[in-house]
């Protein structure tokens, strides 16, 4: 897991980014490459719109998980059982074809005296989703970010997603879902805790 995460630093370098104009010119090249005419009326504003959309779709590069999770957490007297947040919708893009990955993330942890605000988990999923990704890397990054900052007894992350690059091109397998999991701490060392995570996930569907 560490090897995967190392290749994707929390905040990738932002120096030397091209200008807005360079980005728009690149879109014009791709439009011509696809066979269309960037000078026709319907496409005149498209490069600017695409550049703007990319700013939003890839805004995860400008944020670090630590910024969202913070360094201070709520103390919870006595509560030490599993916290599970299910069905966090996300939209990402595969790093191989830059087409959408659409899915749901399920995130659980076993607190060690401290808990996270629930909305923070959703925001961490968004930060990593709004980058070019593989599903495996994204799963590991979410688990590591929570593990590193909160230091709970264990973290479990499951992602189920559909890859548009499989549905729209190549093998064209619509509706197939890819499942990935990452377990840390007691979720990794104790099969019973892992099983309980799976049961809780299924139990409320
Ligand atoms: Zn792909």
């Amino acid at each position: 897991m560490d090897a995967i995460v190392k290749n994707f630093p929390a905040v990738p370098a932002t120096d030397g980014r091209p200008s807005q104009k360079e980005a728009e010119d690149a879109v014009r090249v791709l439009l011509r490459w696809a066979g269309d005419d960037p000078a026709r009326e319907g496409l005149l504003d498209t490069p600017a719109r695409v550049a703007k959309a990319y700013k939003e779709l890839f805004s995860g590069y400008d944020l670090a998980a630590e910024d969202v999770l913070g360094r201070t957490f709520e103390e919870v007297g006595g509560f030490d059982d599993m916290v599970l947040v299910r069905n966090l919708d996300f939209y990402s893009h595969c790093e191989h074809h830059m087409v959408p990955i659409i899915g749901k993330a399920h995130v659980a942890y076993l607190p060690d005296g401290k808990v996270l605000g629930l909305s923070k988990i959703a925001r961490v999923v968004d930060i990593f989703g709004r980058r070019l990704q593989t599903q495996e890397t994204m799963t590991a990054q979410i688990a590591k970010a929570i593990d590193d900052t909160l230091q709970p007894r264990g973290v479990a992350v499951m992602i189920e997603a559909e890859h548009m690059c499989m549905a729209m091109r190549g093998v064209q397998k619509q509706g197939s879902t890819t499942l990935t999991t990452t377990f840390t701490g007691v979720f990794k060392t104790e099969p019973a805790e892992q099983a309980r995570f799976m049961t809780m996930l299924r139990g409320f569907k």
Side-chain angles (χ1 to χ4, degrees), residues 94 96-97 165:
C94 81
H96 303 123
H97 306 96
C165 59

Side-chain angles (χ1 to χ4, degrees), residues 64-74 107 109 115-125 127-128 141-151:
E66 297 76 44
D67 298 338
V68 164
L69 292 171
R71 291 279 161 203
T72 50
F73 306 103
E74 259 175 82
V107 180
Y109 65 92
V115 293
L116 285 171
L118 298 182
S119 67
K120 290 184 173 184
I121 293 176
R123 289 185 63 199
V124 166
V125 171
I127 285 177
F128 292 118
Q141 285 174 329
I142 294 167
K144 187 176 189 314
I146 295 170
D147 207 41
D148 285 355
T149 49
L150 185 67
Q151 298 183 330

Side-chain angles (χ1 to χ4, degrees), residues 101-205:
I101 302 171
I102 300 168
K104 289 180 190 299
H106 315 291
V107 180
Y109 65 92
L110 283 160
D112 192 6
K114 295 171 292 184
V115 293
L116 285 171
L118 298 182
S119 67
K120 290 184 173 184
I121 293 176
R123 289 185 63 199
V124 166
V125 171
D126 275 345
I127 285 177
F128 292 118
R130 288 177 187 174
R131 298 179 186 184
L132 291 174
Q133 281 291 9
T134 71
Q135 188 176 326
E136 295 86 340
T137 302
M138 187 176 159
T139 311
Q141 285 174 329
I142 294 167
K144 187 176 189 314
I146 295 170
D147 207 41
D148 285 355
T149 49
L150 185 67
Q151 298 183 330
R153 286 182 292 130
V155 181
V157 179
M158 178 189 280
I159 290 181
E160 42 184 310
E162 186 175 5
H163 293 244
M164 287 303 126
C165 59
M166 276 180 74
M168 296 164 61
R169 51 164 296 287
V171 289
Q172 299 200 339
K173 286 280 169 280
Q174 280 98 348
S176 74
T177 306
T178 304
L179 286 182
T180 47
T181 51
T182 297
F183 298 107
T184 74
V186 293
F187 283 112
K188 197 172 185 173
T189 55
E190 290 177 32
E193 291 296 351
Q194 216 176 91
R196 211 156 64 88
F197 167 69
M198 300 303 231
T199 305
M200 275 179 79
L201 261 188
R202 277 198 304 268
F204 297 96
K205 270 202 172 162

